[in-house]
Amino acid sequence: MTTRLIVWRHGNTDWNAGHRVQGQTDVPLNDLGRRQAAEAAELLLTMRPDAIVASDLQRAADTAAALATRTGLTVSHDERLRERFFGSWQGLTMTEVASQRPLEFARWKAGKDVGGDVEDLDVMGKRVSDALQDAAALVPAGGTVVVATHGAAARQGLAHLLGWSREQNRTLRALQNCHWAELTYDEDRDWQLGAYNVGVFADRPVPPAV
């Protein structure tokens, strides 16, 4: 039997719209984000989820709640699903980061560890991957679990779960707000990526996954 895991990025926030680094700052959904969550939830409902897990940050938790209200399921929260901790970058626009911290910004653009007080990629990947595996274990074989998380956390957590190198991971563009990746697991084939960046708003620009 195959278990299905849906890794879902939260809806839009004012900081997404302003290209401002959120990291683990607890920024709420804006009106667009709430609308995105509601519309995406209608589509996810057709997958008949058996469990919903979310980051405890408000934007992911409220995105998950939109699906919970339609399924009658209770959302479990896991702080390991939080976004990457961006330290002193948090609250800055990406333009400000590039101007004020050019060496760190260059490392980030190259897919390397930033240094300073920004969380290392491997550390983030492992914590998110561990949370994803624990979420999948909540449902019996053949079940479906939906996990609401964040852009950078989703991409790095998926790469760690799939055993991908950083170079492979950089071939994935960021998940759009309220889009998701679909993975499956069975004992013979382990984890496999079935779909990526699926959702209702495929024609909209992608805010930075930060």
Side-chain angles (χ1 to χ4, degrees):
M1 298 287 285
T2 299
T3 299
R4 181 166 55 180
L5 172 65
I6 306 298
V7 182
W8 186 21
R9 187 185 178 191
H10 62 79
N12 194 262
T13 71
D14 287 344
W15 282 27
N16 283 148
H19 301 288
R20 194 171 294 279
V21 180
Q22 295 180 119
Q24 295 188 8
T25 308
D26 202 5
V27 182
L29 297 176
N30 57 23
D31 289 343
L32 172 60
R34 286 187 288 273
R35 187 166 69 250
Q36 288 175 333
E39 294 186 16
E42 292 294 337
L43 191 54
L44 289 168
L45 183 63
T46 66
M47 299 184 183
R48 301 182 181 277
D50 300 292
I52 306 171
V53 184
S55 158
D56 61 342
L57 295 179
Q58 189 176 178
R59 57 192 183 272
D62 287 351
T63 297
L67 180 59
T69 61
R70 289 161 172 78
T71 60
L73 297 170
T74 299
V75 179
S76 300
H77 298 99
D78 189 334
E79 66 179 20
R80 294 175 298 173
L81 294 167
R82 288 181 180 184
E83 182 58 289
R84 184 180 188 180
F85 180 66
F86 276 91
S88 53
W89 288 31
Q90 293 178 183
L92 300 177
T93 65
M94 294 308 294
T95 300
E96 289 169 339
V97 173
S99 173
Q100 297 174 24
R101 299 175 175 272
L103 295 179
E104 292 180 2
F105 182 77
R107 288 194 289 268
W108 175 77
K109 287 281 285 185
K112 299 177 181 179
D113 285 320
V114 171
D117 56 358
V118 177
E119 185 176 14
D120 287 350
L121 289 168
D122 290 342
V123 172
M124 173 178 61
K126 184 179 187 307
R127 71 165 165 85
V128 177
S129 175
D130 287 349
L132 294 176
Q133 293 191 74
D134 287 348
L138 295 174
V139 300
T144 296
V145 60
V146 176
V147 175
T149 183
H150 308 263
R155 186 162 61 176
Q156 197 65 30
L158 290 177
H160 195 281
L161 190 66
L162 292 164
W164 287 5
S165 67
R166 290 191 183 183
E167 290 71 24
Q168 280 179 289
N169 189 26
R170 281 174 57 76
T171 66
L172 288 178
R173 58 183 298 208
L175 284 173
Q176 292 176 268
N177 285 121
C178 258
H179 281 55
W180 58 86
E182 180 178 339
L183 298 94
T184 56
Y185 175 83
D186 65 52
E187 292 184 357
D188 294 329
R189 290 170 291 187
D190 205 350
W191 286 102
Q192 293 186 307
L193 180 64
Y196 187 80
N197 237 341
V198 180
V200 181
F201 304 93
D203 60 339
R204 295 191 178 173
V206 183
V210 293

